[in-house]
Amino acid sequence: MARPSRKDDILQAALALFTEIGVDATTIEMIRDRSGASIGSLYHHFGNKERIIGALYLAGTGEYAAMLELGFKEAKSAKDCVKLLVTSYIDWVIANPDWARFVLHSRGRVEAGEMGDQLREANREHFARILEALAGYREQGLFREMPADCFASVVIGPTHDFARNWLAGRALTEFAGCRELLAQIAWESVRA
């Protein structure tokens, strides 16, 4: 296994601090101290705290997108693909609860910040890859008729809502225990 890069060290230090004391209370100096990076290295890789926030957000959503890409290569049916959208999301959230909390609470800040265009482009590309993976099944009439942008909300909406509750400690049921149920509900919601 490769050693994490200095950039990764900085991002993980930032995530730990954001989790412990909050995004607003965390300073560049705290991130530098926690990561062991020099101030020059920190500014070389990111430039400022807002770019660290944006990079951390994009790295998290990028991990989920990478999980989907791998899964789509192995999916054998429309049902498999739809369920994969849900199970990959759940698996990533369970494996990365602090990062997931950060992503769920930071989207607006990143969209409004200097990395907003990068986020919108990454989301556009991610959505296009999902539509591409599902295009053949859509052409075969295997999905209920609905606008493409509505499709994603129907599939992931209940899972996203449960993730928020689980991450906030408001859910009594373990997220993993709902994995198959939520995936099946997503499939039943969009199948023709």
Side-chain angles (χ1 to χ4, degrees):
M1 180 184 254
R3 182 199 177 307
S5 68
R6 174 55 71 195
K7 192 173 182 178
D8 292 333
D9 291 343
I10 294 167
L11 290 176
Q12 289 309 307
L15 179 58
L17 287 162
F18 296 161
T19 300
E20 291 167 21
I21 63 172
V23 175
D24 290 331
T26 299
T27 66
I28 285 282
E29 292 76 22
M30 291 172 172
I31 296 169
R32 184 200 66 218
D33 290 345
R34 176 73 64 98
S35 68
S38 69
I39 198 71
S41 177
L42 197 142
Y43 280 104
H44 167 74
H45 288 297
F46 300 103
N48 61 40
K49 183 173 136 182
E50 289 305 312
R51 287 189 193 147
I52 292 172
I53 292 167
L56 186 59
Y57 185 97
L58 289 170
T61 57
E63 274 200 8
Y64 167 67
M67 288 174 72
L68 279 180
E69 290 293 316
L70 290 173
F72 281 142
K73 291 177 183 175
E74 295 180 17
K76 306 273 190 263
S77 67
K79 182 179 182 179
D80 288 350
C81 288
V82 169
K83 286 182 149 192
L84 177 71
L85 291 166
V86 171
T87 58
S88 293
Y89 179 79
I90 291 170
D91 293 347
W92 187 81
V93 169
I94 290 170
N96 303 283
D98 291 339
W99 209 349
R101 249 181 240 97
F102 169 79
V103 167
L104 286 171
H105 296 292
S106 299
R107 181 181 181 130
R109 184 176 185 149
V110 175
E111 281 183 327
E114 61 185 271
M115 293 183 71
D117 288 340
Q118 284 179 272
L119 171 59
R120 284 183 282 283
E121 180 60 19
N123 285 340
R124 189 197 61 72
E125 289 174 7
H126 176 66
F127 189 60
R129 285 192 298 273
I130 290 171
L131 291 179
E132 181 182 321
L134 300 175
Y137 302 121
R138 187 177 296 280
E139 289 167 9
Q140 293 172 41
L142 298 176
F143 296 124
R144 177 181 302 202
E145 286 294 321
M146 69 179 74
D149 52 354
C150 184
F151 184 91
S153 293
V154 169
V155 168
I156 206 69
T159 302
H160 184 71
D161 185 61
F162 194 86
R164 283 182 176 278
N165 287 318
W166 182 76
L167 289 166
R170 292 187 300 262
L172 299 177
T173 305
E174 277 302 314
F175 203 13
C178 296
R179 190 176 185 273
E180 292 308 313
L181 173 65
L182 289 166
Q184 185 63 32
I185 288 169
W187 169 242
E188 290 171 5
S189 297
V190 297
R191 73 179 180 178

